[in-house]
Each structure stands twice: as structure tokens, then as C-alpha cells.
């Protein structure tokens, strides 16, 4: 049974998860970031929303909520392992992030998505995200949270 939790996981576990699932991202995560450095930033600064199946990390959303005056959070990564995709896990993770935002007086969440990641863009649109900025290779999207 899949469980969704807000639970801090170790930097080692984050690193391993991101390395094992790098190819889920478009383009692959390992081709554009230093995973060791990135996992350290996530471990030290982000809220971890995790999906587990029998203690195995199968979905992960990391979000920063360190701008209380700006009232927006920022999703830095959201992924679900290949074998668990299309089962509603990403929706559950993002809904948990929305609830966390509301409980902590944030009314918006932003993220950046690569222009070629059409499945992710469609998913984010369904979750209420809209384009707010166009960059060379990506879009910044934002959702106004109403729960």
C-alpha cells in the first residue's frame, strides 16, 4: 500500500533516488545538474513530500517554503518512479504540498519545467498551474492555492 508522508529523508537516500530516476526527467537530471550538490540543497532546505511502498521511496516532491513575505513556495523536484506512474501518486504528492502551503499561510506555488516535458506541463496545467514566465529552455509556472 502506498503511503504519502511529509518526512525528512537523508541526503544519501535523496541522491540515490535522483540517480536511479534521472531518466524520468526531461532532459535527464544527471545531464544538467550535480546530483550530489542538488541532493544536499534539498536535504538542508526543502520540505520533503514522500510516497512510500513498503518503505521504498517511490515518489518524491521537494519544495522550498522560505519566502514567507512573498507568500509562495517553490517546487524544485517532483517525480514518481517509472513503475508507479499513472497511479495518482504525483497528484497526491502535489496535493500534500498544497495543503502544507495553506497551513503555513502560503497562497501560491511555483515551479520550473523544461519546454520539452509535455507530460509534466499537461499534468501541472490540470493541477491549476499557469505560465507566468518563459525562459530559453523552460517555463515558470504558478498555481494559486484555493483549498
Amino acid at each position: 500500500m502506498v503511503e504519502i508522508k511529509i518526512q525528512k529523508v537523508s541526503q544519501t537516500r535523496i541522491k540515490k533516488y535522483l540517480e536511479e530516476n534521472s531518466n524520468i526527467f526531461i532532459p535527464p537530471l544527471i545531464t544538467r545538474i550535480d546530483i550530489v550538490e542538488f541532493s544536499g540543497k534539498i536535504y538542508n532546505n526543502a520540505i520533503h513530500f514522500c510516497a512510500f511502498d513498503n518503505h521504498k521511496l517511490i515518489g518524491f516532491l521537494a519544495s522550498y517554503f522560505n519566502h514567507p513575505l512573498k507568500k509562495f513556495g517553490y517546487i524544485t523536484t517532483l517525480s514518481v518512479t517509472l513503475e508507479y506512474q499513472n497511479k495518482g501518486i504525483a497528484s497526491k504528492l502535489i496535493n500534500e504540498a498544497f495543503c502544507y502551503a495553506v497551513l503555513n499561510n502560503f497562497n501560491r506555488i511555483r515551479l520550473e519545467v523544461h519546454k520539452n516535458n509535455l507530460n509534466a506541463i499537461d499534468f501541472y496545467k490540470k493541477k491549476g498551474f499557469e505560465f507566468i514566465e518563459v525562459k530559453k529552455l523552460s517555463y515558470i509556472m504558478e498555481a494559486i492555492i484555493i483549498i
Side-chain angles (χ1 to χ4, degrees):
M1 180 175 170
V2 174
E3 291 182 275
I4 307 294
K5 298 180 181 180
I6 298 175
Q7 178 179 324
K8 189 109 172 154
V9 293
S10 71
Q11 181 178 348
T12 303
R13 196 167 189 187
I14 295 167
K15 177 185 167 288
K16 182 180 181 212
Y17 175 86
L18 293 175
E19 287 172 342
E20 289 175 351
N21 295 287
S22 173
N23 289 335
I24 294 171
F25 296 86
I26 298 175
L29 204 54
I30 203 155
T31 65
R32 53 192 166 107
I33 64 161
D34 179 324
I35 289 183
V36 173
E37 182 182 330
F38 187 57
S39 62
K41 287 180 184 177
I42 290 171
Y43 174 75
N44 289 316
N45 301 309
I47 305 298
H48 306 165
F49 302 88
C50 305
F52 295 100
D53 187 2
N54 290 326
H55 305 289
K56 179 184 177 190
L57 185 61
I58 54 132
F60 187 68
L61 183 153
S63 188
Y64 299 112
F65 289 95
N66 10 349
H67 295 294
L69 297 178
K70 296 180 182 178
K71 296 294 181 200
F72 71 85
Y74 187 87
I75 294 173
T76 187
T77 186
L78 169 59
S79 65
V80 175
T81 61
L82 201 54
E83 62 270 26
Y84 286 89
Q85 289 184 6
N86 300 312
K87 296 182 180 186
I89 295 168
S91 287
K92 290 177 183 175
L93 288 167
I94 213 158
N95 290 344
E96 284 295 316
F98 285 176
C99 288
Y100 180 93
V102 169
L103 290 172
N104 289 279
N105 299 312
F106 288 83
N107 59 15
R108 296 174 290 144
I109 293 185
R110 292 182 182 169
L111 55 82
E112 186 168 355
V113 62
H114 195 278
K115 287 182 177 180
N116 293 340
N117 197 342
L118 302 179
N119 288 337
I121 291 167
D122 287 343
F123 170 77
Y124 293 132
K125 284 181 178 179
K126 288 176 186 170
K127 297 308 285 181
F129 285 85
E130 296 179 355
F131 299 112
I132 61 166
E133 184 181 338
V134 177
K135 293 186 166 189
K136 184 176 180 180
L137 298 175
S138 63
Y139 300 111
I140 304 295
M141 299 180 78
E142 180 180 84
I144 306 296
I145 303 165
I146 303 168
I147 294 183

